[in-house]
Amino acid sequence: MNPTLIVSLIVIGLLAGILSGFMGVGGGVIMIPLMVLFLGYSQHQAQGLSLAVLAVPVTFLAAYTYYVSPLEGEAPFSWKFGIVIALSFVVGGLIGSKFAVAIPQNVLRKSFAVILVIAAVKMFFAK
């Protein structure tokens, strides 16, 4: 690997990790656009790599930090809820990936962009 590629990979990982720990986002929101822009990956490649990177060990320490440091007056989140969601996520991820690989890249990229814009607008105008 050339040094520029290594630096790009490190920057993508650091930005995704920092934003994931800070705001709970990272994979789809940060890594995928950066992989498309900086690595020249297709939308399919970027989404696949994002899923590969976001395996349990990567996010566990950040989640644990939130669990042991809840805001005053709040209970920590439920690990049981997390397990149920994670198992459902595995099934949903399999189903979603089967659809995604059958969709042309330009349609997939535009769909991804629309979802990001809708999420951003909803979050911006939420109370």
Side-chain angles (χ1 to χ4, degrees):
M1 278 194 268
N2 70 47
T4 304
L5 177 59
I6 293 170
V7 169
S8 294
L9 297 173
I10 291 169
V11 168
I12 291 169
L14 284 173
L15 286 174
I18 290 167
L19 288 171
S20 180
F22 183 61
M23 294 189 286
V25 298
V29 176
I30 301 301
M31 284 194 297
I32 291 173
L34 291 178
M35 285 188 260
V36 169
L37 291 172
F38 293 128
L39 302 180
Y41 268 30
S42 72
Q43 187 72 23
H44 289 102
Q45 290 171 314
Q47 288 181 194
L49 182 55
S50 173
L51 291 169
V53 167
L54 293 176
V56 174
V58 172
T59 58
F60 178 77
L61 290 177
Y64 182 75
T65 299
Y66 279 97
Y67 182 78
V68 299
S69 304
L71 292 176
E72 187 174 323
E74 286 186 354
F77 65 83
S78 169
W79 284 105
K80 290 178 186 176
F81 289 5
I83 291 169
V84 172
I85 292 170
L87 292 174
S88 301
F89 188 91
V90 169
V91 174
L94 177 63
I95 294 167
S97 66
K98 296 286 185 180
F99 283 116
V101 297
I103 296 172
Q105 178 170 292
N106 63 334
V107 173
L108 187 62
R109 184 180 305 132
K110 289 175 184 173
S111 301
F112 180 79
V114 167
I115 290 169
L116 288 178
V117 168
I118 291 169
V121 168
K122 288 189 105 181
M123 289 182 74
F124 185 80
F125 290 107
K127 293 181 180 181

